Amino acid sequence: MTTSNQESALKKQEFVAPEDWPDVSVMLQGFGLPTLPDSDELVGESIDVGNHDGSVVRLRFTSIDSLDREVLEGAGAGEAASYAYRAVEVRPGVFFIDFLVGESVKTHDVSMVLDRGDGLVTTADTSFISRDGKIRTHTRFLSGRVLGTGEIEPRRRTDKLVGKRIYYRYSETEAYEHIYLNAGTFAWQCVRGGEKGLADVEETKAFELADDIVIFFWTETVMPVDSFLVVDLKYRRSIGRMFCWEQSTLDFVHLPFDSRFTVLNETVHPTD
């Protein structure tokens, strides 16, 4: 679809009621596989991450797609297992790491942003909870640090995205627009793809990672979907995952992704 045809179609798009939304699996079909390569920079390394809740977790990266995880201290101490994982090097020394723990409704999506420069680690642990008789997603955030690199300190919240309107291309068929309204709210719409016409306003969190890099999270109101990603404003790309519950199949949907994007404009409000 050409840009002019796409804009014309958007102008004619009507509101889509939540009861008419498709299953979240349509995203999985359209997004396809991530395009950025998995990194092997961590292979052979073992790191111990201490978190603000008192837990200590050891990660041993045994290959480019397998890691050993052992809980040394805190809740679940003694638990150890191997998991398939994906690691992408966002910038030199900065990694997005993602792996699944558990099965079916007890599955957790554990995503970590590791900065080897300062040792800081931010973890988003997304799981499923029951709310009003329905399965929903819930994310717990952990501030951590590689042991021996300093004291644990939370990453600062950032307003770097506020006011921006960004057009994300996740694949040849899937494109979404984000409008960042304030420090805790953004609006999105599917411009092209399986969810075309869908739109909503969601709760968000954004954290400072480095110059022109933001850690971003959102949780959806209609669908049981939580997303955790890194937005690189310098290289105009995002890297992350969505973790969802599919009511029709009673199973989870795990969607790793990366995108390239265009900043369409930036709103600056008048002072009067």
Side-chain angles (χ1 to χ4, degrees), residues 221-248:
T221 304
V222 175
M223 297 286 201
V225 176
D226 277 15
S227 301
F228 184 73
L229 59 149
V230 174
V231 179
D232 190 328
L233 292 166
K234 179 179 179 180
Y235 292 104
R236 297 292 197 265
R237 67 186 186 186
S238 71
I239 302 162
R241 56 77 169 172
M242 296 181 187
F243 192 56
C244 330
W245 181 254
E246 182 67 272
Q247 191 63 42
S248 63

Side-chain angles (χ1 to χ4, degrees), residues 24 104-105 107-109 125-131 134-140 202-203 217-227 241-247 251-254:
V24 294
S104 188
V105 73
T107 303
H108 288 233
D109 190 347
D125 185 341
T126 303
S127 58
F128 299 115
I129 60 173
S130 178
R131 185 186 302 147
K134 296 182 179 180
I135 301 297
R136 301 295 301 182
T137 41
H138 171 75
T139 297
R140 183 169 66 104
E202 317 288 15
E203 177 185 354
F217 163 83
W218 82 80
T219 182
E220 300 198 7
T221 304
V222 175
M223 297 286 201
V225 176
D226 277 15
S227 301
R241 56 77 169 172
M242 296 181 187
F243 192 56
C244 330
W245 181 254
E246 182 67 272
Q247 191 63 42
D251 206 355
F252 69 87
V253 175
H254 176 237

Side-chain angles (χ1 to χ4, degrees), residues 6 165-169 175-176 191-192 260-262 264:
Q6 183 171 279
R165 187 169 190 158
I166 300 181
Y167 182 83
Y168 290 88
R169 304 166 185 84
Y176 287 72
V191 178
R192 185 176 71 237
R260 57 187 180 90
F261 64 76
T262 300
L264 300 177

Side-chain angles (χ1 to χ4, degrees), residues 49-52 55 113 118-123 142-147 149 151-155:
V49 179
N51 295 303
H52 78 272
S55 63
V113 178
D118 58 17
L120 287 177
V121 180
T122 301
T123 300
L142 292 171
S143 297
R145 198 158 204 158
V146 177
L147 294 187
T149 62
E151 298 296 321
I152 296 172
E153 55 185 85
R155 295 192 189 275

Side-chain angles (χ1 to χ4, degrees), residues 204-224:
T204 70
K205 289 183 174 66
F207 303 93
E208 182 179 287
L209 176 56
D211 290 342
D212 288 329
I213 313 180
V214 174
I215 297 173
F216 189 68
F217 163 83
W218 82 80
T219 182
E220 300 198 7
T221 304
V222 175
M223 297 286 201

Side-chain angles (χ1 to χ4, degrees), residues 48-218:
D48 293 347
V49 179
N51 295 303
H52 78 272
D53 66 349
S55 63
V56 178
V57 177
R58 174 169 293 162
L59 299 175
R60 288 188 291 266
F61 298 89
T62 56
S63 71
I64 195 172
D65 57 8
S66 180
L67 64 80
D68 296 335
R69 177 178 180 267
E70 181 180 2
V71 181
L72 303 180
E73 298 179 22
E79 294 179 359
S82 297
Y83 302 100
Y85 80 100
R86 179 190 185 218
V88 179
E89 195 164 12
V90 180
R91 294 268 188 93
V94 179
F95 297 88
F96 181 90
I97 303 164
D98 181 55
F99 56 95
L100 299 178
V101 177
E103 296 180 354
S104 188
V105 73
K106 295 184 178 180
T107 303
H108 288 233
D109 190 347
V110 180
S111 301
M112 312 172 76
V113 178
L114 163 66
D115 187 341
R116 297 175 74 184
D118 58 17
L120 287 177
V121 180
T122 301
T123 300
D125 185 341
T126 303
S127 58
F128 299 115
I129 60 173
S130 178
R131 185 186 302 147
D132 299 328
K134 296 182 179 180
I135 301 297
R136 301 295 301 182
T137 41
H138 171 75
T139 297
R140 183 169 66 104
F141 294 93
L142 292 171
S143 297
R145 198 158 204 158
V146 177
L147 294 187
T149 62
E151 298 296 321
I152 296 172
E153 55 185 85
R155 295 192 189 275
R156 289 176 293 183
R157 296 287 296 272
T158 181
D159 60 1
K160 194 80 173 181
L161 294 174
V162 175
K164 289 182 172 58
R165 187 169 190 158
I166 300 181
Y167 182 83
Y168 290 88
R169 304 166 185 84
Y170 294 95
S171 71
E172 292 184 357
T173 61
E174 309 295 311
Y176 287 72
E177 182 180 28
H178 291 183
I179 305 172
Y180 302 93
L181 302 175
N182 56 44
T185 316
F186 90 131
W188 63 267
Q189 67 166 330
C190 180
V191 178
R192 185 176 71 237
E195 292 189 328
K196 181 180 177 181
L198 273 58
D200 212 342
V201 177
E202 317 288 15
E203 177 185 354
T204 70
K205 289 183 174 66
F207 303 93
E208 182 179 287
L209 176 56
D211 290 342
D212 288 329
I213 313 180
V214 174
I215 297 173
F216 189 68
F217 163 83
W218 82 80

